[in-house]
Amino acid sequence: MRNLQETHLNRARASLRQALSWYGYLRKSGQLSSNPELAGLLKPELEALNSTLNKLDSNVIRIAAFGLVSRGKSAVLNALLGEKILQTGPLNGVTQWPRSVRWQPGGKVLVELIDTPGLDEIEGESRADMAREVVHQADLILFIVSGDITRTEYQALLELRRSQKPLILVFNKIDLYPDIDRGAIYQNLQQLGAGNPQAKPLLPDEIVMVAAEPAAMEVRVEWPDGRVSYEWETPPPQVDELKETILNILNREGRSLLALNALIQARDAEAAIAQKTIDLREQEAEDIIWQFTKYKALAVMLNPIAFLDILGGTVADLALIRALARLYGLPMTSYEAGKILKTILFSSGGLLLGELGSSLLLGLGKSTAAITSGDNPSNITAFAGSAIAQAGIAGYGAYSVGKAAQVYLEKGCTWGQLGASSVIQEILSQVDQNTILYRLRQELGIKY
């Protein structure tokens, strides 16, 4: 298992280094320096890729606590730390800004615990937005509740699950409930915590009951002289089960969690780079597509030989794709080669396949009309009709191929060999059913 985790970590590092080397090539080649506007737009994403790679090398696992106000997020983290470092109190919204604390459980794994503001703070939308941003940096999420899930909590839970991060549901303040009520709430949380009524109930590693800051209890004290007094005592925190669960997860799949989160961040950064590049150069791309469309239509219309129509049309489409790739400066990958071919051939009303089929049929008629036009002048009219029809199909095909290529270039940067999306799929295909990552694989709908 440890060897597999190391493999996942190494694959993630290789994927990020490949991405950075490509965009580093763009910088060295002058494509970014010659376009300051694009360089400025891409700076946050390039910095994010560098930061993500550095995080991988540091081997620090980030665990973020989320939940509504007064659910005891800070108290849970303090109990794990064994000392009261994070501020707690009876008032709502004590935690106003995300705060991180280093934790080294067992003396081996280095963890960064992140406390966040409540997701439902009144007049605290900006703080809630900031808390949601933390989830992108987290490798594991603790979602803290203190009883039955409310509608607001359920919506927040669904939003966190959409972030594609492994999650532990922590039922806090169990000391406030009788055993019967506690059991009923636990069973309800098992089902609702999955985030989908049709999903399997949560596994033992995915839901834990704790009492991070138990309420003080009145204790009867009998003195040697016969006196009786009553004092208030605060029981110790009950978080051993949560601590053990976290340690089991980190030992079993911690490095895989680290690798997966880094790849998700890299995938999002690369997708943003592609989207920004395409948006900025939209008009230039449109001009190139129309230029190739007109040239291809004209060439097909004037050419009398069917074979050259097919060959020249294919070459023109490939040249169009290369021209768009050079314009965008995006990597040409082997992104699902079979599917790309199908996209180019079939999407947008037939694309190249429809064009080639029609070119073959009309091209033969056009060739025959051209050859016999000297013997029968009426064949000139047939040639012109065939040529115009074929030119229209060729032009439509070129425009469709150009539009399909834009989609391919935008999405393809995260696929191919060592692409972030490819390595994510590879890691999730290897997870065991007893791991917390298996739930993530189910949520993503990935089947193997």
Side-chain angles (χ1 to χ4, degrees):
M1 181 65 70
R2 183 171 295 275
N3 289 338
L4 182 60
Q5 289 190 66
E6 288 296 336
T7 299
H8 292 165
L9 208 56
N10 290 333
R11 294 285 288 172
R13 288 194 185 101
S15 178
L16 265 74
R17 285 169 181 153
Q18 174 180 273
L20 286 167
S21 67
W22 172 258
Y23 297 113
Y25 162 76
L26 292 182
R27 187 181 288 108
K28 291 178 181 178
S29 65
Q31 292 194 46
L32 291 181
S33 59
S34 62
N35 193 328
E37 183 179 3
L38 179 61
L41 284 174
L42 302 187
K43 184 178 179 181
E45 283 73 30
L46 294 176
E47 289 178 347
L49 287 173
N50 271 303
S51 175
T52 303
L53 181 57
N54 291 335
K55 178 176 176 289
L56 268 183
D57 291 336
S58 67
N59 283 320
V60 177
I61 296 176
R62 289 173 177 164
I63 301 176
F66 290 88
L68 274 58
V69 295
S70 299
R71 298 307 191 259
K73 297 183 297 297
S74 302
V76 168
L77 298 186
N78 282 336
L80 289 174
L81 291 165
E83 53 183 318
K84 192 169 183 179
I85 296 177
L86 301 167
Q87 185 181 4
T88 62
L91 299 178
N92 289 349
V94 172
T95 302
Q96 297 186 2
W97 307 101
R99 184 180 175 188
S100 61
V101 182
R102 287 296 176 94
W103 179 44
Q104 199 161 1
K108 294 181 180 180
V109 183
L110 186 57
V111 177
E112 184 177 338
L113 298 175
I114 306 174
D115 194 16
T116 65
L119 295 173
D120 60 336
E121 288 190 63
I122 300 174
E123 298 180 356
E125 186 60 30
S126 61
R127 292 198 296 272
D129 289 340
M130 187 183 301
R132 293 186 187 101
E133 281 299 315
V134 175
V135 76
H136 297 298
Q137 299 296 325
D139 302 301
L140 178 65
I141 293 172
L142 304 181
F143 190 74
I144 316 294
V145 300
S146 58
D148 279 320
I149 292 181
T150 66
R151 182 180 297 272
T152 303
E153 277 177 317
Y154 187 66
Q155 292 302 319
L157 177 62
L158 292 180
E159 183 177 342
L160 287 172
R161 286 213 175 275
R162 282 193 291 270
S163 67
Q164 300 177 3
K165 301 295 177 68
L167 184 147
I168 299 176
L169 187 62
V170 181
F171 177 14
N172 188 27
K173 303 185 181 181
I174 58 171
D175 56 301
L176 302 181
Y177 297 92
D179 289 344
I180 295 179
D181 293 345
R182 185 189 305 174
I185 293 173
Y186 181 86
Q187 291 181 358
N188 191 35
L189 291 176
Q190 268 193 312
Q191 187 61 58
L192 290 177
N196 185 342
Q198 298 177 346
K200 295 180 180 179
L202 295 181
L203 299 172
D205 273 358
E206 297 179 283
I207 178 170
V208 182
M209 295 192 292
V210 303
E213 228 173 29
M217 302 175 59
E218 191 176 28
V219 179
R220 174 188 170 98
V221 180
E222 296 183 359
W223 299 92
D225 59 3
R227 289 184 301 109
V228 175
S229 66
Y230 294 88
E231 298 178 1
W232 290 92
E233 291 185 1
T234 301
Q238 302 174 34
V239 293
D240 288 345
E241 184 182 350
L242 176 59
K243 184 175 181 179
E244 182 179 352
T245 297
I246 292 174
L247 285 175
N248 286 339
I249 291 173
L250 296 184
N251 290 329
R252 186 182 63 216
E253 51 194 307
R255 290 175 176 81
S256 297
L257 287 174
L258 195 60
L260 188 65
N261 183 52
L263 289 165
I264 289 173
Q265 292 181 56
R267 180 199 61 190
D268 294 345
E270 290 187 77
I273 287 172
Q275 186 62 59
K276 287 181 177 181
T277 303
I278 286 174
D279 289 345
L280 184 64
R281 291 178 167 167
E282 182 178 5
Q283 188 56 53
E284 294 176 74
E286 194 71 15
D287 292 342
I288 289 176
I289 292 173
W290 275 112
Q291 184 181 28
F292 272 85
T293 298
K294 290 185 289 186
Y295 287 165
K296 181 179 177 181
L298 183 61
V300 168
M301 183 175 67
L302 296 178
N303 174 50
I305 303 175
F307 172 74
L308 293 181
D309 283 347
I310 298 171
L311 180 61
T314 303
V315 171
D317 289 336
L318 294 174
L320 170 56
I321 294 172
R322 289 185 63 84
L324 289 173
R326 285 195 301 270
L327 171 68
Y328 294 138
L330 296 175
M332 292 285 290
T333 69
S334 58
Y335 163 55
E336 295 184 317
K339 292 182 180 179
I340 293 171
L341 181 60
K342 290 179 181 179
T343 300
I344 292 177
L345 293 177
F346 299 114
S347 69
S348 301
L351 285 183
L352 193 54
L353 182 62
E355 179 192 343
L356 293 180
S358 299
S359 292
L360 183 59
L361 294 175
L362 291 176
L364 289 174
K366 184 176 66 173
S367 299
T368 303
I371 293 170
T372 61
S373 61
D375 299 329
N376 185 356
S378 64
N379 286 337
I380 297 177
T381 303
F383 171 78
S386 296
I388 292 172
Q390 187 172 338
I393 294 173
Y396 172 77
Y399 186 80
S400 300
V401 167
K403 288 299 182 182
Q406 285 182 296
V407 175
Y408 154 57
L409 287 168
E410 179 184 351
K411 304 298 183 184
C413 60
T414 65
W415 290 92
Q417 187 178 15
L418 286 179
S421 295
S422 298
V423 183
I424 287 172
Q425 203 168 58
E426 177 186 322
I427 290 176
L428 291 178
S429 70
Q430 299 170 345
V431 299
D432 188 86
Q433 290 189 8
N434 296 321
T435 63
I436 197 170
L437 281 176
Y438 189 76
R439 169 80 61 180
L440 182 59
R441 170 175 143 178
Q442 291 179 307
E443 291 172 2
L444 291 174
I446 297 175
K447 298 179 181 180
Y448 300 93

